[in-house]
Amino acid sequence: MLVGLLYIYFHTKDQSFDITAFYTASLSDNRTGPGFSGYLFIAFCYQDAIFLFIPGSLIPMSNRQQLPRWLLSGVMVKMGVFGLLRWLLPVVPLASYSWGDVVSSMSVAGMIYASLIAIKQDDLKRLVAYSSIAHIGLMCVAIFAENKSGMQGVMIQMFNHGVNIIGLWIVVELIERQFGTRKISELGGLAQKAPAMAILFVVIALANIALPLTNAFVGEFLMFNGVFSSVVTKYNVWFTVLAGLSIVFAAVYTLNMIRKVFYGEPNSLTAATQDISFNEKLALGVIVILIFWMGVYPQSLLSVTNEITDTILNKSDIIRLIKKQ
């Protein structure tokens, strides 16, 4: 990323790091397109955990000595998406268009790959981490659709993903703290002893798979609509169909995890399960309220993202060329 930023700095008119100068340089000098965009692509793809970069991105989420897991998965992993929106598309629109199908293909492959691994996981933490990676992949595909529906869906989903994934991490942390394990095979029957935790977790988990009337449904609907209706890619239908498989896979591993962890009969480890405290119920309750609020009334966030979406799209040469045609 540093090499790419320095390269474009030397191609600005006034040798400036000002973002406006960067946008102007990309529009006035074609050498600032594919020449350095690969460096930015690699940096953002690594942060977004796109296919071939998944293991490197997953390591920090699995390291207890790093930042809290909820911060890494709920907030920091989306810094790559932010970089694509604020740097790659507006600064190098031609290169973004040229490499859009390649990055979208890698993103779809990463979604399916992460989802399949999540299905086989026996570790709650890793299941949530791979689920998060699959959702980020869909955001990347929608970004390179380069239309308003996809772009607004990405921005809404960045917020909603943060809400949902943080809720999942909180429950995983509570389970690990009480039982000293994250293995799904060692748990079971928690709903009988901890009904409040079970209800709150099920709501958050169903939101994570985009159940209608939950927050993620709105974002994913807009993103899929944007990908399907994209005119800047040759494979929009294929990307839509293949990315749609991740929803099916998400339902499989999420419902299977809920069944094994919270239902069935308690075992020797979970027989003495205690329900969550008032403060923990309050924290998860706030998350559940946000889930339903954004699912029932998404306009509150759509109105906020409308202007910035138009700004990003209007800075892309490709969008203007398409409109002229």
Side-chain angles (χ1 to χ4, degrees):
M1 185 185 295
L2 179 60
V3 172
L5 294 179
L6 289 175
Y7 187 89
I8 195 171
Y9 163 78
F10 288 114
H11 285 81
T12 57
K13 293 181 179 179
D14 53 354
Q15 302 288 282
S16 170
F17 280 108
D18 184 80
I19 188 66
T20 304
F22 273 40
Y23 292 155
T24 305
S26 68
L27 297 175
S28 61
D29 188 350
N30 289 332
R31 291 177 299 171
T32 58
F36 79 94
S37 62
Y39 296 103
L40 299 181
F41 267 119
I42 292 172
F44 295 139
C45 286
Y46 185 91
Q47 184 64 30
D48 289 334
I50 291 177
F51 190 62
L52 300 180
F53 298 94
I54 289 177
S57 180
L58 189 66
I59 289 174
M61 296 186 197
S62 305
N63 192 339
R64 296 176 64 92
Q65 303 302 319
Q66 300 289 335
L67 293 173
R69 291 191 292 270
W70 61 267
L71 179 61
L72 283 167
S73 189
V75 181
M76 295 303 295
V77 73
K78 286 183 286 294
M79 289 298 99
V81 178
F82 176 80
L84 294 176
L85 291 173
R86 292 292 290 166
W87 287 94
L88 210 59
L89 247 63
V91 174
V92 282
L94 295 175
S96 300
Y97 172 74
S98 300
W99 290 93
D101 284 349
V102 175
V103 177
S104 295
S105 299
M106 294 175 63
S107 299
V108 170
M111 292 171 63
I112 296 175
Y113 174 75
S115 298
L116 291 174
I117 294 179
I119 291 175
K120 300 296 292 183
Q121 285 302 312
D122 189 44
D123 188 306
L124 280 170
K125 179 181 70 173
R126 289 185 174 272
L127 186 149
V128 174
Y130 279 112
S131 172
S132 176
I133 290 171
H135 286 87
I136 294 296
L138 179 57
M139 295 182 202
C140 293
V141 178
I143 287 174
F144 287 96
E146 297 192 45
N147 54 36
K148 188 167 184 176
S149 176
M151 203 69 70
Q152 278 204 301
V154 170
M155 293 188 183
I156 291 176
Q157 197 65 359
M158 287 173 69
F159 175 80
N160 292 334
H161 174 267
V163 171
N164 297 342
I165 213 72
I166 286 174
L168 293 177
W169 279 124
I170 290 175
V171 178
V172 171
E173 184 67 27
L174 293 175
I175 291 174
E176 183 180 8
R177 186 186 305 171
Q178 183 170 170
F179 302 106
T181 182
R182 300 187 305 265
K183 288 189 176 182
I184 297 174
S185 59
E186 296 179 357
L187 300 169
L190 300 189
Q192 296 185 24
K193 303 289 185 177
M197 179 171 64
I199 292 172
L200 293 170
F201 180 80
V202 168
V203 171
I204 298 171
L206 293 179
N208 193 52
I209 59 176
L211 192 74
L213 297 183
T214 63
N215 55 357
F217 175 78
V218 179
E220 292 203 2
F221 179 85
L222 288 173
M223 288 191 289
F224 275 108
N225 179 66
V227 174
F228 183 76
S229 59
S230 175
V231 296
V232 299
T233 175
K234 301 176 183 177
Y235 312 106
N236 55 315
V237 175
W238 281 106
F239 289 153
T240 304
V241 172
L242 293 175
L245 290 176
S246 66
I247 296 180
V248 178
F249 294 147
V252 171
Y253 61 71
T254 300
L255 296 176
N256 188 51
M257 178 264 295
I258 291 174
R259 178 180 63 85
K260 291 183 177 180
V261 173
F262 287 94
Y263 296 96
E265 293 298 324
N267 54 36
S268 57
L269 180 64
T270 60
T273 302
Q274 296 182 354
D275 209 346
I276 54 179
S277 66
F278 174 78
N279 289 339
E280 293 161 349
K281 292 177 184 177
L282 181 62
L284 293 174
V286 170
I287 291 175
V288 169
I289 290 173
L290 287 174
I291 286 172
F292 285 119
W293 174 265
M294 293 307 306
V296 175
Y297 185 62
Q299 186 60 39
S300 56
L301 195 54
L302 285 171
S303 58
V304 174
T305 62
N306 183 63
E307 184 177 350
I308 187 62
T309 300
D310 291 335
T311 301
I312 293 173
L313 291 176
N314 288 335
K315 286 176 180 175
S316 172
D317 282 343
I318 300 303
I319 299 301
R320 281 196 284 270
L321 288 174
I322 292 171
K323 286 182 178 179
K324 290 180 180 179
Q325 293 175 355

